[in-house]
Amino acid sequence: MPSSAHHHSLSFQPSIISLFSFTAIKPSYKVLDRSQKNVPQMSKKAQSAFSFNDEGYMLCEGVKIVDVMAMVAEKKRPFYLYSKSQLTRNYAAYAEALQGTQFIVGYAVKANNNLKILEHLRGMGSSAVLVSGNELQLAMRAGFDPTRCVFNGNGKLLDELILAAKLDVLVNVDSEFDLEQICEAGRISGKQIRVLLRINPDVDPQVHPYVATGNKNSKFGIRNEKLGWFLEQVKHHHDKVKLVGVHCHLGSTISKVNIFRDAAELMVGYIDLIRKEGFEIQYLNIGGGLGIDYYHEGAVYPTPMDLIDTVRDLLTGRDLTLIIEPGRSLVANTAVLVNRVTGVKSNGNKNFIVIDGSMSELIRPSLYSAYQHIELVSPPAAGAKRATFDVVGPVCESSDFLGKDREMAMPERGAGLVVHDAGAYCMAMASTYNLRMRPPEYWVEEDGKTVKKIRHAEDLHDHLRYFDGL
Ligand SMILES: Cc1ncc(COP(=O)(O)O)c(C=O)c1O
Ligand SMILES: N[C@@H](CCCC[NH3+])C(=O)O
């Protein structure tokens, strides 16, 4: 228990023996083999925003990327280029999959917090899933309905919770101290906060350990053995909190939909038990985490329809609203990072393409050894030799690479080179390391030809402003 418990007027004593016995559901996890039955057919490969024309120039929808490079004001720096139509298509895929169910699509704002992207998703019916008070305020600025938003996190602060309470946002309970603080926020704001219990289902998402969140040793969520205690406390503090649902989030970049099925089965088991204790559970929140085809090798990847089909029958007859929290699968393939080749060099056996983009603008390869596909945007010069290159930036770190061992035609200086699938966790994780100020963002409008700036570039003035008057 938190040592600060006695400072508050609320009573939060963990009972050694739970009132309820919730050991009945043991998550002895194993990915079920659905190879023989009940396997959703994976849908056909989806339409892509980025393609090549007959002359070998890369297009974003109908626009040549070399033309955008020539047009944008910040000619010497990298920039993000999005397809608004792709964003529309990605949301539509979820909306279509969810037809006939009661649902909330809660876009995980952490994946990309561009205000224009948020506004567009909100306009299509999306809700938002938030992990900080600032994200919550941004979501309000984008016009999201707070009562359909979810506030997640293992370290939510009291002032953030008070804001969430005032706005009547759904709040996930992550731990004993978190529940204590949520109750405190309810008391201070005079609101009864609608909460979901984030249960750690101990299901292995089979992803990079840094993006796995639903294993039993993860810092997120509560262990199911403690469920009884949480229900006791929620009952006791019913004037400040109202339990309306359960939540789990297994991790990110998940490539097998039966992993979601395994978790959802456990979760509806918990819902059935919790309902028997007299709680009116309305929401089953299965989190986000659907991966995308980063490799561009033609593999057919699970779609939103595949995901929803896998859990659909669990909703039948249960009168539940399904909440899903996609981030990557909504925004990743909507954008590329457009870079220019600064030069090519060889050291020993290694060839390097040095570009003007770096780990500061796009850190996933450095951080997770993540693969993101890289291509040149123009046809190679006549006679250009093919070779294997590491694609690296100018930052003073050997981990500053965007791609390793990539085979491609030797580019000329100034050539355009894109890093694909840069719409999720790229700009959102960009830093100003080496005083590389964060790049601007553009999108191609839904007419397929108009390019519009959707975020200004940061510049040195922004940095200097932090020292004004000091
Ligand atoms: C609680 C929660 N919900 C949703 C997401 C979004 O995940 P993804 O971008 O993989 O869909 C995350 C990030 O992993 C998360 O932590
Ligand atoms: N930042 C990670 C995903 C983290 C998901 C957040 N819970 C990535 O780039 O893949």
Side-chain angles (χ1 to χ4, degrees):
M1 266 310 285
S3 55
S4 63
H6 62 276
H7 295 312
H8 300 287
S9 51
L10 308 173
S11 93
F12 267 87
Q13 293 307 312
S15 49
I16 294 164
I17 304 165
S18 268
L19 279 187
F20 314 109
S21 164
F22 279 93
T23 44
I25 298 186
K26 279 263 185 237
S28 63
Y29 168 69
K30 154 163 107 45
V31 175
L32 305 178
D33 179 11
R34 293 199 166 75
S35 52
Q36 300 308 314
K37 57 179 174 101
N38 194 21
V39 186
Q41 288 297 306
M42 302 298 181
S43 310
K44 292 256 155 14
K45 203 164 166 50
Q47 190 183 344
S48 170
F50 300 93
S51 59
F52 283 93
N53 69 9
D54 294 343
E55 287 91 49
Y57 287 95
M58 189 186 286
L59 307 174
C60 174
E61 302 299 343
V63 181
K64 271 192 197 171
I65 293 185
V66 281
D67 291 345
V68 187
M69 291 173 73
M71 200 176 84
V72 303
E74 297 87 353
K75 283 194 182 121
K76 291 215 170 77
R77 59 196 308 169
F79 61 89
Y80 282 95
L81 180 65
Y82 295 80
S83 156
K84 190 175 183 184
S85 303
Q86 187 63 48
L87 188 59
T88 304
R89 290 193 286 269
N90 290 349
Y91 186 83
Y94 272 105
E96 189 195 342
L98 287 158
Q99 259 180 22
T101 61
Q102 293 164 260
F103 69 90
I104 293 177
V105 176
Y107 166 59
V109 170
K110 73 187 93 173
N112 188 313
N113 54 33
N114 184 298
L115 187 58
K116 300 290 151 197
I117 287 174
L118 298 188
E119 286 170 352
H120 188 54
L121 286 169
R122 189 259 303 144
M124 284 187 290
S126 181
S127 160
V129 167
L130 314 151
V131 287
S132 70
N134 283 346
E135 281 194 357
L136 175 51
Q137 291 187 59
L138 188 74
M140 294 306 98
R141 167 82 189 267
F144 286 100
D145 172 359
T147 65
R148 296 170 69 242
C149 288
V150 182
F151 188 27
N152 268 317
N154 65 315
K156 302 184 280 297
L157 301 175
L158 184 60
D159 59 331
E160 297 176 316
L161 286 166
I162 291 170
L163 178 65
K166 286 183 178 154
L167 292 165
D168 197 15
V169 169
L170 292 160
V171 176
N172 272 349
V173 176
D174 188 84
S175 63
E176 289 88 338
F177 77 78
D178 194 38
L179 179 57
E180 179 185 5
Q181 195 149 248
I182 293 167
C183 287
E184 185 65 4
R187 188 184 67 75
I188 293 169
S189 60
K191 296 270 186 160
Q192 189 195 36
I193 303 178
R194 294 175 304 142
V195 296
L196 288 79
L197 290 176
R198 177 169 182 167
I199 301 176
N200 178 333
D202 192 14
V203 168
D204 179 2
Q206 301 177 13
V207 296
H208 190 286
Y210 290 3
V211 297
T213 51
N215 317 77
K216 80 170 179 219
N217 291 330
S218 157
K219 71 170 180 171
F220 299 102
I222 66 170
R223 298 284 304 136
N224 68 82
E225 294 88 348
K226 296 183 176 173
L227 201 51
W229 182 84
F230 280 92
L231 296 184
E232 257 179 71
Q233 295 298 325
V234 169
K235 257 192 188 154
H236 184 68
H237 295 285
H238 61 89
D239 54 331
K240 301 169 206 88
V241 285
K242 179 175 187 208
L243 181 61
V244 293
V246 294
H247 170 265
C248 68
H249 173 71
L250 307 173
S252 206
T253 68
I254 298 171
S255 60
K256 296 180 188 127
V257 286
N258 54 354
I259 291 174
F260 291 100
R261 166 78 191 195
D262 288 343
E265 273 180 14
L266 288 169
M267 299 306 283
V268 293
Y270 293 131
I271 287 177
D272 293 347
L273 281 175
I274 296 170
R275 279 179 165 169
K276 281 199 192 115
E277 298 298 333
F279 292 90
E280 286 167 32
I281 299 298
Q282 186 186 350
Y283 298 108
L284 166 63
N285 184 338
I286 58 168
L290 188 62
I292 61 140
D293 173 22
Y294 278 111
Y295 284 91
H296 291 223
E297 281 173 343
V300 181
Y301 222 77
T303 62
M305 188 67 86
D306 299 323
L307 167 61
I308 302 304
D309 278 349
T310 322
V311 300
R312 204 181 294 280
D313 65 298
L314 296 174
L315 301 170
T316 310
R318 281 199 168 88
D319 190 21
L320 285 169
T321 298
L322 178 70
I323 304 181
I324 48 163
E325 304 183 336
R328 191 184 313 273
S329 53
L330 275 177
V331 288
N333 70 352
T334 64
V336 290
L337 178 67
V338 183
N339 311 271
R340 273 178 201 275
V341 173
T342 309
V344 176
K345 67 189 272 189
S346 285
N347 280 348
N349 295 325
K350 272 274 179 204
N351 302 315
F352 299 94
I353 297 175
V354 183
I355 58 173
D356 61 0
S358 72
M359 66 186 292
S360 299
E361 293 77 27
L362 197 156
I363 200 174
R364 299 188 68 256
S366 310
L367 193 58
Y368 315 113
S369 300
Y371 179 95
Q372 291 190 221
H373 200 53
I374 290 178
E375 284 178 311
L376 296 167
V377 303
S378 313
K385 289 213 174 67
R386 291 189 76 80
T388 303
F389 300 93
D390 281 5
V391 179
V392 301
V395 164
C396 302
E397 298 276 348
S398 292
S399 61
D400 177 28
F401 62 90
L402 284 305
K404 293 247 186 203
D405 299 322
R406 303 299 173 90
E407 207 220 296
M408 63 179 88
M410 172 91 76
E412 296 181 309
R413 291 182 64 184
L417 176 152
V418 300
V419 180
H420 281 279
D421 303 309
Y425 306 109
C426 291
M427 184 58 173
M429 294 174 79
S431 74
T432 57
Y433 187 42
N434 281 204
L435 266 199
R436 301 176 50 76
M437 309 315 288
R438 274 174 292 207
E441 296 180 297
Y442 297 83
W443 72 18
V444 174
E445 293 279 10
E446 289 185 281
D447 62 5
K449 51 188 191 215
T450 311
V451 178
K452 191 166 167 216
K453 187 188 273 194
I454 55 168
R455 178 175 171 139
H456 296 297
E458 229 174 2
D459 66 21
L460 194 56
H461 296 295
D462 294 308
H463 182 71
L464 291 171
R465 203 168 42 81
Y466 302 132
F467 308 96
D468 277 356
L470 299 182

